[in-house]
Amino acid sequence: MGKYEAISKKITHMLHGADYNPEQWIDFKGIWDEDVRLMKLANCNVMAVGIFSWTALEKEEGKFNFQWLDDVMDNLYKNGIKVILATPSGARPAWMSQKYPEVLRVDEMRQRNLHGERHNHCYTSPIYREKVRIINTKLAERYKNHPALIMWHVSNEFEGECHCELCQEAFRNWLKEKYNGDLDKLNKAWWTGFWSHTYTDWSQIESPSPKGEINLHGLNLDWRRFVTYKTIDFFKSEIVPLKNITPEIPVTTNFHDYINLSKGIDYWKFAPYLDVISWDNYPYWHKEKTDAMEGSRRAFIHDMNRSFKGGKPFLMMESSPSATNWQPVAKLRRPSMHTLASIQAIAHGSDSVQYFQWRKSRGSSEKFHGAVVDHCGHENTRVFKEVSKLGEILSKLDSVVGTSVKPEVAVIYDWENFWAMNDAEGPRKEKKDYFETCVKHYKGFWDRGIPVDVINMDQDFSKYKVLVAPMLYMVREGVGERIEDFVKKGGTFVTTYWSGIVDENDLCFLGGFPGPLRKVTGIWSEELDALYDDDVNYVSFKEENALKIKGQYEARIFCDLIHAETAKVLATYKEDFYKGMPAVTENLFGKGKAYYIAFRENDNFLSDFYKSLSIKCGLKRVLDTELPDGVTAKLRTDGEKEFIFVLNFTKDSKVMDLKNMKFKDMITSKEVKDKLHLKPYGVEILQTKL
Ligand code: GLA
Ligand code: ZN
């Protein structure tokens, strides 16, 4: 495997930096020079500048002031710091909202918002688009030859939706195109015969609203698709001037870490339009008994961001060097957690560690958010020292830049599936927990240090040995066939309860669940039992079973009542009226196998299951040795050299047996053999093939 396409030719070192908002400090004489002095001390080499700077750049309509930005960019450049320059469209000046109210969003109750907050603008509004075009053109023209500029940071965390008349009209046009102008087709897809909801004219269609229609699931789903489309359409119009004037400069926009938002955007649709993927990572550390679960949630999202472009490295555009003040409890990162969380990003394919933000705000809602420079204003703080130490570590990782990994395993996480499942009334209102369930399956591999891609159901499955699709409730057209093909050719497929239920219009499959997955799994799901929180059933494995799993496990929340058709039964339920019915099955199909897990586990089941499965499938581990609990190992490679990251997400020291493997410690350059010692929250970065 050669190097992946570099995120930019101009990036040859790991990037280390932060969101930098110097315009908030314009009245503080000398502070910008002090910033640069501190940036160098913190071993920072990049700053993201200009996010939310619109009013500072255009205080009055058409009157532009770039002087301060020129000074900042020049000063950063002179001091060896590169700039990721933002377009300011994440928030707009008050004069614009006042003069052109159409730029303001209308909420689902059909009320126009007041000026304020951010992301509060209509993506359809021609006026907003024109204003963005003007400012982006000015920025691109002014800085096109600036040597500090390495990337465009377009807007900031695109999110939300607008229900104004312009958006309603755009929605109806989008629907007309989707349904080829055939209203009858739409009515069928949305099952509008229900409650006499049939549309007889396109003009009757409105976006979902608690004041109107929220029970047509097909409408809800198409609305979410439209919001994704509209956001991307706006983004595409934003980057026209950037692409025309600075074709060499890559564009990115920072994705959220909220990938389980019921009103989110399908990032799989967005990703192809970005040159570089970047995302904002705000973990909840030190909340659970160990940090291994949160570590694997973060790992899952990192892997998804790397998978968006088939393994191309990405950027961790934001993270907090300490507390995250908008979380319910802004707990400080314990010593060493900063290094661990940052190196975790690198281990999964990030070519940067960046923070929100450089200097802590003095006022407003972010004044208590973790930052590199605290209100005290100097470098003698615990956080500053950790940041600076991390910068030193990153400076030794030039050879890792541009490298990646090709996993043998993929886990499916699919936005449309999530939206549809979330919308369903039943079998349980709460605890559907699609994201958390996917992460728990993923963790089976994380625990063993097996690399994983996180993909959606439209991606190519053929490059994997194992494909895991927990709760694949929606199966879009053709996906069932592609899974069959994957298994026929020798792949191993794992799915669970509540899979193969609806098609892409959220219409139930007729003729027996799991619909298009029935043949490949060799089972028929007759009913799905939803359990109360305190209910428990048990699953026990047969003496002789293909996975050699022994013992009994708890089943909670969901128990699927399935019949084995062509599948072999590996485990059965122990209690209730479905005692003796299959709970885990294996179906031999072509050259491969498909497993169906009928229940939601509550203990070590997934860990045991995936351990057994990975051995059976011969999956390669990053380190061929047992990893202690809470420790994982990740790999990046350029095809020759291998870089191995061993990460300890516990507050205990751990020791690992390296058998006869030998490595170079990339930080100390010393040889590492026999035993690997990990400190609490410790990290080791090793290189093989010296
Ligand atoms: C988001 C935004 C930043 C900042 C941080 C605070 O990620 O992009 O501007 O508000 O949250 O955590
Ligand atoms: Zn609108």
Side-chain angles (χ1 to χ4, degrees), residues 409 441 443-448 450 466 468 492 494 541-551 553 570 584-586 593 595 597 604-621 626:
V409 180
H441 282 256
K443 191 166 179 292
F445 302 101
W446 187 93
D447 285 339
R448 300 181 55 71
I450 294 171
V466 174
V468 181
T492 298
V494 182
F541 272 79
K542 305 209 159 190
E543 234 8 73
E544 297 277 306
N545 67 77
L547 288 171
K548 300 196 178 90
I549 297 178
K550 291 203 173 14
Y553 299 90
L570 308 186
V584 182
T585 58
E586 180 194 61
K593 300 177 186 59
Y595 294 90
I597 302 173
N604 296 327
F605 170 67
L606 288 178
S607 160
D608 294 352
F609 176 83
Y610 284 112
K611 179 173 180 185
S612 173
L613 193 79
S614 357
I615 295 169
K616 199 173 159 101
C617 298
L619 297 178
K620 281 199 279 308
R621 288 189 286 170
E626 280 314 304

Side-chain angles (χ1 to χ4, degrees), residues 622-623 642 644 658 661-665 670-673 686-690:
V622 169
L623 280 176
E642 294 192 335
I644 292 173
L658 289 180
M661 296 180 277
K662 274 191 201 156
F663 305 96
K664 182 177 99 178
D665 181 319
K670 288 193 184 134
E671 193 181 62
V672 181
K673 55 180 186 181
L686 309 171
Q687 188 180 324
T688 55
K689 301 197 181 149
L690 309 179

Side-chain angles (χ1 to χ4, degrees), residues 284-516:
Y284 289 78
W285 296 127
H286 316 300
K287 187 177 173 200
E288 294 157 299
K289 221 164 61 212
T290 93
D291 282 298
M293 195 59 218
E294 185 61 1
S296 41
R297 286 186 200 105
R298 297 294 132 183
F300 182 89
I301 312 177
H302 280 308
D303 281 346
M304 183 188 296
N305 278 281
R306 191 197 57 243
S307 305
F308 281 143
K309 285 198 172 287
K312 184 173 169 175
F314 59 92
L315 301 179
M316 180 167 73
M317 186 62 83
E318 289 180 27
S319 62
S320 170
S322 184
T324 301
N325 73 331
W326 50 259
Q327 292 175 351
V329 176
K331 193 161 180 174
L332 299 179
R333 284 186 172 186
R334 272 36 195 166
S336 300
M337 181 46 97
H338 177 64
T339 306
L340 172 62
S342 303
I343 296 300
Q344 181 187 27
I346 303 292
H348 284 267
S350 177
D351 278 355
S352 81
V353 173
Q354 292 162 266
Y355 312 113
F356 179 84
Q357 61 178 330
W358 169 251
R359 184 182 280 278
K360 209 175 256 192
S361 290
R362 188 168 188 203
S364 298
S365 72
E366 289 182 330
K367 62 180 178 293
F368 299 128
H369 193 289
V372 181
V373 181
D374 212 327
H375 293 133
C376 64
H378 57 65
E379 64 269 37
N380 300 315
T381 64
R382 183 180 72 94
V383 170
F384 191 96
K385 285 180 199 155
E386 278 222 39
V387 167
S388 170
K389 194 182 94 197
L390 179 81
E392 263 175 49
I393 297 175
L394 294 178
S395 70
K396 298 189 174 150
L397 301 182
D398 283 0
S399 48
V400 180
V401 174
T403 62
S404 192
V405 65
K406 283 193 173 162
E408 295 178 325
V409 180
V411 174
I412 292 183
Y413 178 85
D414 190 283
W415 263 265
E416 294 193 352
N417 181 46
F418 167 66
W419 292 329
M421 186 186 308
N422 235 26
D423 231 8
E425 300 243 12
R428 282 194 50 128
K429 272 210 190 309
E430 284 169 354
K431 302 212 173 148
K432 287 181 188 143
D433 291 341
Y434 176 53
F435 170 69
E436 194 69 6
T437 302
C438 290
V439 174
K440 284 190 172 153
H441 282 256
Y442 168 93
K443 191 166 179 292
F445 302 101
W446 187 93
D447 285 339
R448 300 181 55 71
I450 294 171
V452 177
D453 273 350
V454 178
I455 61 174
N456 78 351
M457 69 177 89
D458 303 326
Q459 308 312 306
D460 176 14
F461 306 142
S462 68
K463 52 184 174 182
Y464 304 108
K465 274 189 175 173
V466 174
L467 178 66
V468 181
M471 302 177 79
L472 198 67
Y473 171 77
M474 172 189 284
V475 181
R476 291 195 286 276
E477 207 182 335
V479 174
E481 290 79 352
R482 286 175 41 236
I483 292 174
E484 280 181 9
D485 194 51
F486 166 78
V487 179
K488 239 184 235 160
K489 294 189 172 136
T492 298
F493 176 64
V494 182
T495 190
T496 70
Y497 56 90
W498 222 30
S499 290
I501 309 294
V502 301
D503 68 7
E504 62 272 22
N505 296 317
D506 209 352
L507 295 174
C508 292
F509 291 116
L510 303 177
F513 298 135

Side-chain angles (χ1 to χ4, degrees), residues 106-159:
V106 170
D107 68 16
E108 54 185 7
M109 302 304 275
R110 309 302 190 254
Q111 272 178 354
R112 198 171 285 281
N113 290 350
L114 303 178
H115 178 77
E117 300 297 333
R118 51 186 184 179
H119 311 295
N120 174 11
H121 35 262
C122 170
Y123 292 139
T124 309
S125 158
I127 293 175
Y128 195 59
R129 286 181 176 222
E130 176 59 6
K131 291 293 173 199
V132 170
R133 188 193 66 74
I134 295 169
I135 189 96
N136 288 6
T137 305
K138 297 256 177 211
L139 280 169
E141 267 165 3
R142 190 155 189 109
Y143 299 109
K144 64 181 175 206
N145 295 320
H146 201 290
L149 176 65
I150 55 164
M151 197 176 295
W152 289 109
H153 177 299
V154 178
S155 194
N156 191 71
E157 290 184 343
F158 281 100
E159 65 181 37

Side-chain angles (χ1 to χ4, degrees), residues 102 104-106 122-125 162-167:
E102 79 159 47
L104 291 167
R105 268 184 200 170
V106 170
C122 170
Y123 292 139
T124 309
S125 158
C162 175
H163 297 256
C164 77
E165 262 319 308
L166 294 168
C167 288

Side-chain angles (χ1 to χ4, degrees), residues 20 22 32 36 47-50 57 66-86 139-140 142-152 249:
Y20 180 38
W32 292 358
V36 169
M47 288 290 140
V49 183
L57 296 170
F66 292 102
Q67 193 52 54
W68 66 270
L69 188 52
D70 293 352
D71 294 348
V72 167
M73 302 248 315
D74 293 351
N75 201 16
L76 290 172
Y77 180 68
K78 265 195 299 200
N79 287 282
I81 296 162
K82 298 279 197 286
V83 170
I84 296 180
L85 187 57
L139 280 169
R142 190 155 189 109
Y143 299 109
K144 64 181 175 206
N145 295 320
H146 201 290
L149 176 65
I150 55 164
M151 197 176 295
W152 289 109
I249 304 289

Side-chain angles (χ1 to χ4, degrees), residues 186-318:
L186 174 146
N187 276 310
K188 284 186 182 142
W190 290 3
W191 204 252
T192 55
F194 163 85
W195 292 350
S196 198
H197 286 190
T198 307
Y199 296 99
T200 52
D201 193 273
W202 292 95
S203 60
Q204 295 156 1
I205 301 173
E206 286 259 356
S207 60
S209 166
K211 229 175 150 174
E213 186 69 88
I214 47 165
N215 281 314
L216 284 181
H217 291 173
L219 162 67
N220 295 349
L221 193 57
D222 271 345
W223 172 249
R224 297 264 40 96
R225 289 173 174 140
F226 169 76
V227 171
T228 291
Y229 153 80
K230 185 53 61 189
T231 310
I232 297 169
D233 184 59
F234 180 83
F235 171 84
K236 279 158 70 182
S237 82
E238 261 230 65
I239 63 170
V240 169
L242 311 180
K243 286 288 168 200
N244 285 343
I245 302 165
T246 58
E248 295 290 307
I249 304 289
V251 298
T252 188
T253 187
N254 47 344
F255 286 164
H256 260 297
D257 64 356
Y258 291 151
I259 58 165
N260 53 343
L261 275 191
S262 57
K263 295 194 168 179
I265 295 166
D266 183 347
Y267 286 155
W268 276 102
K269 298 257 157 51
F270 209 148
Y273 299 99
L274 310 185
D275 297 321
V276 176
I277 300 294
S278 66
W279 77 284
D280 300 343
N281 181 19
Y282 290 101
Y284 289 78
W285 296 127
H286 316 300
K287 187 177 173 200
E288 294 157 299
K289 221 164 61 212
T290 93
D291 282 298
M293 195 59 218
E294 185 61 1
S296 41
R297 286 186 200 105
R298 297 294 132 183
F300 182 89
I301 312 177
H302 280 308
D303 281 346
M304 183 188 296
N305 278 281
R306 191 197 57 243
S307 305
F308 281 143
K309 285 198 172 287
K312 184 173 169 175
F314 59 92
L315 301 179
M316 180 167 73
M317 186 62 83
E318 289 180 27

